[in-house]
Every structure is written in structure tokens, then in C-alpha cells.
Amino acid sequence: MNKVLLAYEDYSEMLTIQSVLKKVGFDVLTTSSEFSLSEQVLSFNPEIIIGYGKGPKVSTLGVGRRLKDMPRWTGRVILIFPAG
């Protein structure tokens, strides 16, 4: 089973995507703060991380920077940038 970590700012959108991914067969963990991202990656060890946000808790660039600082994690990343 593929493990997916969602780092989303919008809680309702995060829950919607989580339920869709679980129906398809993924094992999903969610976080609404990029500051706990490294701890989540170490404990859950996801194969894919999806990041989206533009606020103070989660920003797409912040998620990318934090993952870049983690050289031992070799999974895949999907960064969704907001319009503008």
C-alpha cells in the first residue's frame, strides 16, 4: 500500500482529498502545519508528499524547503502552487 502525506492549509479540502485517496487504496496521513512535517516524515515514512497552501501555517514553498533539507528521505513530492 502506498503511503501519502498531505500538507494542506485548508482543512476541509484536506479532508476531501484524504477521503478520496483512502477510497482508492492509499494509506493517508494529514498535517496542517509545515513545522511538524519533518517529524511526520520520520515516523510515517511516506512514499508521496502533497503540499498546498499560501498561509502562515502551510506554504507550498515552505514545504519544498523543508523537504529539500531532508536528504535521507527519497520519496516523491507534489507541490501545488496557488494562482498568482
Side-chain angles (χ1 to χ4, degrees), residues 64-81:
R65 284 187 193 124
R66 291 186 188 277
L67 292 174
K68 187 177 179 182
D69 293 338
M70 298 178 62
R72 292 187 178 216
W73 183 73
T74 58
R76 305 206 185 261
V77 180
I78 299 172
L79 297 175
I80 304 168
F81 290 95

mmCIF file of all heavy atoms in Angstrom, residues 64-81:
data_model
loop_
_atom_site.group_PDB
_atom_site.id
_atom_site.type_symbol
_atom_site.label_atom_id
_atom_site.label_comp_id
_atom_site.label_asym_id
_atom_site.label_seq_id
_atom_site.Cartn_x
_atom_site.Cartn_y
_atom_site.Cartn_z
ATOM 1 N N GLY A 64 8.424 22.740 0.349
ATOM 2 C CA GLY A 64 9.533 22.381 -0.537
ATOM 3 C C GLY A 64 10.889 22.602 0.117
ATOM 4 O O GLY A 64 11.794 21.767 -0.007
ATOM 5 N N ARG A 65 11.031 23.713 0.823
ATOM 6 C CA ARG A 65 12.302 23.997 1.502
ATOM 7 C C ARG A 65 12.582 22.977 2.601
ATOM 8 O O ARG A 65 13.711 22.524 2.761
ATOM 9 C CB ARG A 65 12.267 25.397 2.099
ATOM 10 C CG ARG A 65 12.436 26.474 1.093
ATOM 11 C CD ARG A 65 12.573 27.828 1.765
ATOM 12 N NE ARG A 65 12.438 28.866 0.762
ATOM 13 C CZ ARG A 65 11.548 29.840 0.821
ATOM 14 N NH1 ARG A 65 10.716 29.918 1.828
ATOM 15 N NH2 ARG A 65 11.481 30.736 -0.140
ATOM 16 N N ARG A 66 11.576 22.641 3.371
ATOM 17 C CA ARG A 66 11.774 21.674 4.461
ATOM 18 C C ARG A 66 12.130 20.294 3.916
ATOM 19 O O ARG A 66 12.937 19.582 4.503
ATOM 20 C CB ARG A 66 10.538 21.605 5.334
ATOM 21 C CG ARG A 66 10.356 22.878 6.122
ATOM 22 C CD ARG A 66 9.225 22.784 7.105
ATOM 23 N NE ARG A 66 8.973 24.077 7.700
ATOM 24 C CZ ARG A 66 9.658 24.568 8.742
ATOM 25 N NH1 ARG A 66 10.620 23.864 9.267
ATOM 26 N NH2 ARG A 66 9.368 25.749 9.231
ATOM 27 N N LEU A 67 11.532 19.919 2.808
ATOM 28 C CA LEU A 67 11.847 18.617 2.227
ATOM 29 C C LEU A 67 13.226 18.615 1.579
ATOM 30 O O LEU A 67 13.907 17.587 1.557
ATOM 31 C CB LEU A 67 10.778 18.220 1.220
ATOM 32 C CG LEU A 67 9.420 17.916 1.834
ATOM 33 C CD1 LEU A 67 8.389 17.665 0.756
ATOM 34 C CD2 LEU A 67 9.505 16.729 2.770
ATOM 35 N N LYS A 68 13.648 19.752 1.058
ATOM 36 C CA LYS A 68 14.975 19.847 0.474
ATOM 37 C C LYS A 68 16.052 19.675 1.545
ATOM 38 O O LYS A 68 17.133 19.171 1.266
ATOM 39 C CB LYS A 68 15.126 21.199 -0.218
ATOM 40 C CG LYS A 68 16.399 21.348 -0.994
ATOM 41 C CD LYS A 68 16.429 22.687 -1.697
ATOM 42 C CE LYS A 68 17.725 22.855 -2.454
ATOM 43 N NZ LYS A 68 17.789 24.172 -3.096
ATOM 44 N N ASP A 69 15.753 20.083 2.770
ATOM 45 C CA ASP A 69 16.692 19.954 3.880
ATOM 46 C C ASP A 69 16.726 18.544 4.469
ATOM 47 O O ASP A 69 17.455 18.309 5.421
ATOM 48 C CB ASP A 69 16.345 20.951 4.983
ATOM 49 C CG ASP A 69 16.569 22.388 4.550
ATOM 50 O OD1 ASP A 69 17.356 22.601 3.604
ATOM 51 O OD2 ASP A 69 15.968 23.291 5.163
ATOM 52 N N MET A 70 15.946 17.632 3.913
ATOM 53 C CA MET A 70 15.906 16.250 4.398
ATOM 54 C C MET A 70 16.510 15.337 3.330
ATOM 55 O O MET A 70 15.783 14.719 2.554
ATOM 56 C CB MET A 70 14.466 15.830 4.700
ATOM 57 C CG MET A 70 13.805 16.644 5.771
ATOM 58 S SD MET A 70 12.107 16.170 6.046
ATOM 59 C CE MET A 70 12.322 14.499 6.568
ATOM 60 N N PRO A 71 17.833 15.213 3.264
ATOM 61 C CA PRO A 71 18.463 14.443 2.183
ATOM 62 C C PRO A 71 18.234 12.939 2.274
ATOM 63 O O PRO A 71 18.327 12.240 1.283
ATOM 64 C CB PRO A 71 19.946 14.789 2.321
ATOM 65 C CG PRO A 71 20.120 15.151 3.749
ATOM 66 C CD PRO A 71 18.822 15.780 4.171
ATOM 67 N N ARG A 72 17.924 12.416 3.441
ATOM 68 C CA ARG A 72 17.749 10.962 3.582
ATOM 69 C C ARG A 72 16.398 10.471 3.073
ATOM 70 O O ARG A 72 16.247 9.306 2.762
ATOM 71 C CB ARG A 72 17.919 10.546 5.040
ATOM 72 C CG ARG A 72 19.334 10.715 5.490
ATOM 73 C CD ARG A 72 19.517 10.142 6.844
ATOM 74 N NE ARG A 72 20.917 10.302 7.206
ATOM 75 C CZ ARG A 72 21.580 9.427 7.894
ATOM 76 N NH1 ARG A 72 20.978 8.345 8.309
ATOM 77 N NH2 ARG A 72 22.835 9.637 8.181
ATOM 78 N N TRP A 73 15.413 11.359 3.027
ATOM 79 C CA TRP A 73 14.101 10.953 2.527
ATOM 80 C C TRP A 73 14.148 10.971 1.010
ATOM 81 O O TRP A 73 14.503 11.965 0.387
ATOM 82 C CB TRP A 73 13.008 11.885 3.051
ATOM 83 C CG TRP A 73 11.660 11.458 2.618
ATOM 84 C CD1 TRP A 73 10.947 10.385 3.067
ATOM 85 C CD2 TRP A 73 10.853 12.068 1.614
ATOM 86 N NE1 TRP A 73 9.755 10.299 2.409
ATOM 87 C CE2 TRP A 73 9.679 11.309 1.506
ATOM 88 C CE3 TRP A 73 11.016 13.159 0.791
ATOM 89 C CZ2 TRP A 73 8.663 11.630 0.628
ATOM 90 C CZ3 TRP A 73 10.012 13.474 -0.092
ATOM 91 C CH2 TRP A 73 8.846 12.721 -0.157
ATOM 92 N N THR A 74 13.787 9.853 0.380
ATOM 93 C CA THR A 74 13.930 9.721 -1.074
ATOM 94 C C THR A 74 12.599 9.529 -1.791
ATOM 95 O O THR A 74 12.562 9.006 -2.890
ATOM 96 C CB THR A 74 14.847 8.534 -1.406
ATOM 97 O OG1 THR A 74 14.280 7.350 -0.837
ATOM 98 C CG2 THR A 74 16.243 8.753 -0.869
ATOM 99 N N GLY A 75 11.509 9.962 -1.178
ATOM 100 C CA GLY A 75 10.207 9.806 -1.805
ATOM 101 C C GLY A 75 9.936 10.859 -2.865
ATOM 102 O O GLY A 75 10.792 11.655 -3.238
ATOM 103 N N ARG A 76 8.717 10.860 -3.345
ATOM 104 C CA ARG A 76 8.295 11.800 -4.383
ATOM 105 C C ARG A 76 7.467 12.920 -3.750
ATOM 106 O O ARG A 76 6.797 12.722 -2.750
ATOM 107 C CB ARG A 76 7.485 11.082 -5.429
ATOM 108 C CG ARG A 76 8.234 9.894 -5.995
ATOM 109 C CD ARG A 76 7.769 9.570 -7.361
ATOM 110 N NE ARG A 76 8.402 8.362 -7.831
ATOM 111 C CZ ARG A 76 9.446 8.364 -8.633
ATOM 112 N NH1 ARG A 76 9.955 9.482 -9.042
ATOM 113 N NH2 ARG A 76 9.966 7.224 -9.042
ATOM 114 N N VAL A 77 7.520 14.087 -4.396
ATOM 115 C CA VAL A 77 6.843 15.267 -3.870
ATOM 116 C C VAL A 77 5.975 15.876 -4.956
ATOM 117 O O VAL A 77 6.398 16.005 -6.100
ATOM 118 C CB VAL A 77 7.859 16.329 -3.387
ATOM 119 C CG1 VAL A 77 7.139 17.545 -2.841
ATOM 120 C CG2 VAL A 77 8.789 15.749 -2.365
ATOM 121 N N ILE A 78 4.768 16.260 -4.577
ATOM 122 C CA ILE A 78 3.875 17.018 -5.459
ATOM 123 C C ILE A 78 3.599 18.342 -4.754
ATOM 124 O O ILE A 78 2.980 18.366 -3.690
ATOM 125 C CB ILE A 78 2.556 16.260 -5.722
ATOM 126 C CG1 ILE A 78 2.839 14.931 -6.395
ATOM 127 C CG2 ILE A 78 1.625 17.127 -6.552
ATOM 128 C CD1 ILE A 78 1.607 14.051 -6.512
ATOM 129 N N LEU A 79 4.081 19.418 -5.332
ATOM 130 C CA LEU A 79 3.852 20.758 -4.789
ATOM 131 C C LEU A 79 2.858 21.478 -5.680
ATOM 132 O O LEU A 79 3.101 21.641 -6.874
ATOM 133 C CB LEU A 79 5.166 21.547 -4.716
ATOM 134 C CG LEU A 79 6.238 20.969 -3.791
ATOM 135 C CD1 LEU A 79 7.516 21.791 -3.916
ATOM 136 C CD2 LEU A 79 5.756 20.951 -2.358
ATOM 137 N N ILE A 80 1.758 21.914 -5.095
ATOM 138 C CA ILE A 80 0.710 22.609 -5.833
ATOM 139 C C ILE A 80 0.787 24.082 -5.455
ATOM 140 O O ILE A 80 0.575 24.445 -4.305
ATOM 141 C CB ILE A 80 -0.672 22.034 -5.501
ATOM 142 C CG1 ILE A 80 -0.706 20.538 -5.781
ATOM 143 C CG2 ILE A 80 -1.760 22.764 -6.280
ATOM 144 C CD1 ILE A 80 -1.912 19.824 -5.232
ATOM 145 N N PHE A 81 1.112 24.912 -6.435
ATOM 146 C CA PHE A 81 1.251 26.345 -6.179
ATOM 147 C C PHE A 81 -0.076 27.055 -6.442
ATOM 148 O O PHE A 81 -0.724 26.806 -7.463
ATOM 149 C CB PHE A 81 2.341 26.939 -7.073
ATOM 150 C CG PHE A 81 3.713 26.479 -6.682
ATOM 151 C CD1 PHE A 81 4.300 25.401 -7.304
ATOM 152 C CD2 PHE A 81 4.413 27.121 -5.679
ATOM 153 C CE1 PHE A 81 5.558 24.965 -6.950
ATOM 154 C CE2 PHE A 81 5.672 26.699 -5.309
ATOM 155 C CZ PHE A 81 6.249 25.611 -5.935
#
